[in-house]
Amino acid sequence: MNIRCLAIDDEPLALQQIVAYINKVPFLELAAQCQSALEARTFLENDTVDAIFCDINMPDLNGMDFVKSLTVPPLIVFTTAYSEYAIEGFRVNAVDYLLKPFGLQDFQRAANRLKERLETSTAPNTPLTSDNNTLFLKTDYRIVKVSIPDIRYIEGMSEYLKVWIEGESKPIITLLSMKKMEERLPEYFMRIHRSYIINLTKIQEVNKNRVIMDADTFLPIGDMYKETFQAYLDTKYLGK
């Protein structure tokens, strides 16, 4: 598989470095190099590429706005000296984010991710789940394997989800809807609030309108979810 690439950077030396790295990777093919997003836009009016290595900070039209303006953008790897663009790069579904100065090893990693993404996108019916107990979630430009039984709860925050895992102090943050996540989870998960899905096996206590997952985690039960949650509790309750 040859991946046709467009390199964009307003700094001649930086552009020269990207071109040199592209030429060192056997499955990458340089389609063109441009010193501005406007020049790149003109090129794309008459040609197509599989991937773009694009600087963000450029005059006239920055790389982020350029990518957002493309009707059907190819795969994107952003290159920049400013780490604060990482989250915004994640929003536009960039494959990778190279922080300048980067070396050939970092570039090779990004190239491999491009190759993996293209191979995945051309594979028929590629599932999000590899089996009934595993999910693959995209986070920080990586795809990580998650054991479903180890998920404690899921917290919705705008268009992102925080997936809290047993034994981990920080959540996995992924661009995904609560509805899509609900569809992929087994029956021992339940939505108890518009912002929370819990693993029912991880509950420690139910206290009034809260579910206690541990000493530091108290999750609210939303009004529209109370009846369903109570019905579940009734099936498990022993006593008078």
Side-chain angles (χ1 to χ4, degrees):
M1 172 187 290
N2 274 354
I3 302 174
R4 280 172 50 83
C5 301
L6 175 61
I8 312 170
D9 201 305
D10 64 306
E11 299 176 8
L13 289 178
L15 183 60
Q16 183 179 342
Q17 182 190 53
I18 294 172
V19 169
Y21 286 164
I22 289 174
N23 290 331
K24 288 180 182 291
V25 179
F27 55 82
L28 296 186
E29 174 189 337
L30 181 66
Q33 52 182 299
C34 301
Q35 286 192 258
S36 73
L38 297 178
E39 183 184 346
R41 179 183 285 172
T42 300
F43 171 80
L44 291 175
E45 288 174 357
N46 302 298
D47 208 336
T48 59
V49 295
D50 301 308
I52 298 177
F53 290 89
C54 185
D55 185 29
I56 294 179
N57 274 21
M58 293 187 290
D60 298 325
L61 179 64
N62 72 46
M64 196 70 68
D65 290 337
F66 165 67
V67 169
K68 289 177 181 177
S69 74
L70 299 176
T71 305
V72 184
L75 299 181
I76 305 296
V77 174
F78 283 119
T79 64
T80 182
Y82 301 93
S83 60
E84 63 265 26
Y85 286 109
I87 292 298
E88 194 173 355
F90 186 63
R91 286 177 184 272
V92 298
N93 202 28
V95 174
D96 209 340
Y97 177 94
L98 292 172
L99 187 62
K100 298 178 180 179
F102 54 86
L104 180 58
Q105 185 176 357
D106 292 328
F107 187 88
Q108 181 73 62
R109 179 202 68 211
N112 289 339
R113 288 179 178 172
L114 286 174
K115 188 170 183 286
E116 290 169 5
R117 181 72 69 86
L118 278 174
E119 289 173 344
T120 300
S121 66
T122 55
N125 302 319
T126 304
L128 180 63
T129 54
S130 64
D131 55 58
N132 290 335
N133 290 314
T134 302
L135 286 176
F136 286 93
L137 298 176
K138 181 182 176 185
T139 181
D140 294 333
Y141 314 112
R142 299 174 294 127
I143 296 177
V144 297
K145 183 179 179 181
V146 176
S147 172
I148 294 176
D150 289 340
I151 298 174
R152 296 175 59 239
Y153 67 96
I154 295 142
E155 180 181 357
M157 44 177 235
S158 186
E159 68 266 43
Y160 291 91
L161 298 181
K162 288 182 177 180
V163 182
W164 294 88
I165 308 295
E166 191 76 41
E168 300 292 336
S169 60
K170 293 183 179 180
I172 294 171
I173 299 177
T174 186
L175 182 61
L176 197 66
S177 69
M178 291 285 276
K179 184 176 184 297
K180 180 66 71 174
M181 179 61 85
E182 274 188 290
E183 291 171 354
R184 295 289 185 171
L185 292 171
E187 68 281 353
Y188 55 88
F189 283 84
M190 182 178 290
R191 192 164 184 175
I192 61 164
H193 187 275
R194 65 184 181 86
S195 299
Y196 294 102
I197 299 171
I198 64 170
N199 183 336
L200 297 169
T201 70
K202 305 293 185 184
I203 296 174
Q204 290 192 2
E205 185 179 332
V206 179
N207 189 334
K208 296 182 179 178
N209 292 324
R210 298 185 303 175
V211 174
I212 300 173
M213 305 300 288
D214 57 45
D216 300 313
T217 308
F218 302 78
L219 306 181
I221 304 170
D223 289 340
M224 66 182 294
Y225 302 94
K226 282 181 181 178
E227 185 176 344
T228 303
F229 184 61
Q230 186 60 53
Y232 164 77
L233 291 179
D234 289 344
T235 66
K236 303 295 183 182
Y237 182 70
L238 294 178
K240 297 180 179 180

